[in-house]
Amino acid sequence: MIIFGTKGYLYQLAILTLVCGQCRNPAAHTLRKRVTKFSLFFVPLFPISTKYLTQCTFCGAEQKVTKEQAEQLQAQGAGGQAYGQPQHQQPYQS
């Protein structure tokens, strides 16, 4: 019997003040990196997909960004607390 699947990890990279494209309010946005890893016998082995997104803290709208845009935004919000730690883990079903 072989047990395999995927597991998702969510990393908070930065908190930025931006104007939301959905609600048009200047609000804090979290820059997040979502990584899905293949797991074998409950051990995460390698990443299958990586996605970057921003989420408005005012209305909750999410917007996908490219890796390059995420790196630029992260450089803008480099001050403050340490980021890059898993915020919470979400198991994905395959």
Side-chain angles (χ1 to χ4, degrees), residues 9-12 30 32 84-89:
Y9 296 90
L10 189 62
Y11 299 92
Q12 183 171 308
T30 55
R32 295 179 177 166
Q85 299 300 318
Q87 190 177 22
H88 58 80
Q89 300 176 2

Side-chain angles (χ1 to χ4, degrees), residues 2-19:
I2 297 176
I3 301 172
F4 66 94
T6 59
K7 186 168 186 173
Y9 296 90
L10 189 62
Y11 299 92
Q12 183 171 308
L13 302 176
I15 297 177
L16 309 158
T17 302
L18 304 169
V19 176

Side-chain angles (χ1 to χ4, degrees), residues 9-66:
Y9 296 90
L10 189 62
Y11 299 92
Q12 183 171 308
L13 302 176
I15 297 177
L16 309 158
T17 302
L18 304 169
V19 176
C20 180
Q22 184 75 25
C23 66
R24 305 284 187 226
N25 287 312
H29 284 68
T30 55
L31 176 63
R32 295 179 177 166
K33 175 179 165 181
R34 185 174 300 163
V35 180
T36 303
K37 293 187 177 184
F38 175 79
S39 61
L40 183 63
F41 294 106
F42 305 106
V43 177
L45 296 177
F46 56 87
I48 310 173
S49 73
T50 302
K51 297 176 184 175
Y52 296 89
L53 52 97
T54 60
Q55 182 177 23
C56 177
T57 58
F58 188 79
C59 69
E62 290 185 344
Q63 180 179 359
K64 290 183 182 179
V65 294
T66 65

